[in-house]
Amino acid sequence: MKTAHPVRHLLRAKDLADTRYREPLDVAALAEAAHLSPAHFSREFHRAFGEPPHQYLLTRRLERAASLLRNTDRSVTDICLLVGLRSVGSFTTSFGRTYGMSPTAYRAANAPAASRARPPTCVLQAYGRPHGSTFGEDSRKHPG
Amino acid sequence: MLKQLTHAQVWVDDQDEALAFYTEKLGLELREDVTVPELGNFRWLSVGVPGQEDVAITLMAVPGPPVFEEETRAKIKELLARGAAGGLFFAADDVQSTFEEFKGRGVEFTQEPMQQPYGLDAGFRDSSGNHFRMMSTD
C-alpha cells in the first residue's frame, strides 16, 4: 500500500490558504486539512516552508490586497473584506508594517503590473507575497 | 538548430497512480508505456493532450541507485511533495467548465478561475504535488 510523503499533507494546507484566503480561514482549519493538531502542524509547516502558517496566510492576504489596490478601484474596506480579513484597523496596520505605507498611499504609488508586462497569476502570487513580516508573533519559540 | 520540443518531463511519486490521474482526471491520453528489463525495469511512460500529437509529457519515476544515490532520491521526493519540483502550463478553450469538470473528479486546485489581463486562468496540482496551470486560449 503506497503512502504519500508526509510533506504532501502540509502542501495541501498551504494550497488551502492560497485558494480560500477570502474565507474566515485560520490555522486550526489549515491544521485540519493536514490532519495534524494545530501545534504540531505549525511546527511542521514552519520546518517545511520556512515560516509559520499564520504568517503565510496573512502575507497571502496582504499580497492579494496589494494586487487589488493596484489593479482595481475597490475601497480599502471592500478589499480588506475581500481578502478574508474582518478588521479594517488591523488590516491597515499590518499593511503599513509590511509595505511601509498606507493602502491608499500604496495604490497611488503603484501602476498596475499589467501595463508593463503580463506575468501569469502564479508568478504574481509567488513573487508578490511580502516576505518575513512576523509582527512579533514569531518571538514565541519555533524549532529551527 | 533545434526543430521542436517533443517531451516535457515531470517527476512523479508513483507511475501507476500518475497514469490513472493524468488519463482519468485530466483526460490526457496514454502515448508510450514501455518497461525495459535490461535497464533495471526502467519504465518509459508518457501521456499527451488529445489532438496535440507532437508533444508528450513523460511521467518519470524518481530513480534510486545506480542513477541517484538514496539521499538524492529522497530529496527529490520531498521537493515533489512540497510542490517545489516544477510544473506545466496548459491552455483550455473553456477554463471555467474544465475547472468544474476537474473539481468534480477530485483534482486539487491552488487557484480557482481568475480573470487576468491575458485571460481566465486557474492553478491545480497533479497527484504528486506538481503545480499545473490552465489558461484560456481566446
Side-chain angles (χ1 to χ4, degrees), chain A residues 18-99:
Chain A
D18 287 338
T19 332
R20 295 180 40 199
Y21 60 87
R22 298 174 195 81
E23 300 170 26
L25 211 57
D26 56 13
V27 172
L30 299 181
E32 206 178 309
H35 306 295
L36 294 173
S37 73
H40 187 211
F41 167 69
S42 291
R43 280 194 305 275
E44 293 301 313
F45 188 100
H46 195 173
R47 203 196 308 272
F49 302 116
E51 59 190 317
H54 68 79
Q55 182 182 310
Y56 186 81
L57 181 59
L58 179 60
T59 50
R60 166 60 62 233
R61 287 173 162 150
L62 292 176
E63 177 275 324
R64 287 289 84 201
S67 169
L68 289 168
L69 286 165
R70 292 193 306 269
N71 297 303
T72 73
D73 58 1
R74 307 292 291 250
S75 73
V76 171
T77 305
D78 273 2
I79 289 176
C80 166
L81 299 173
L82 279 169
V83 301
L85 295 170
R86 274 165 293 180
S87 156
V88 179
S90 57
F91 165 61
T92 307
T93 307
S94 301
F95 193 94
R97 282 184 188 156
T98 304
Y99 290 92

Side-chain angles (χ1 to χ4, degrees), chain B residues 49-98:
Chain B
V49 177
Q52 188 184 27
E53 301 302 325
D54 57 356
V55 184
I57 302 164
T58 54
L59 308 177
M60 218 46 121
V62 186
V67 183
F68 293 141
E69 78 281 19
E70 269 312 323
E71 193 193 340
T72 301
R73 179 171 188 269
K75 278 185 179 163
I76 294 175
K77 285 244 183 196
E78 180 166 5
L79 287 176
L80 198 51
R82 282 187 198 201
L88 296 170
F89 293 69
F90 294 93
D93 282 333
D94 187 339
V95 168
Q96 187 63 40
S97 74
T98 309

Side-chain angles (χ1 to χ4, degrees), chain B residues 13 15 57 79 110-111:
Chain B
D13 199 35
Q15 286 180 310
I57 302 164
L79 287 176
T110 58
Q111 179 210 304

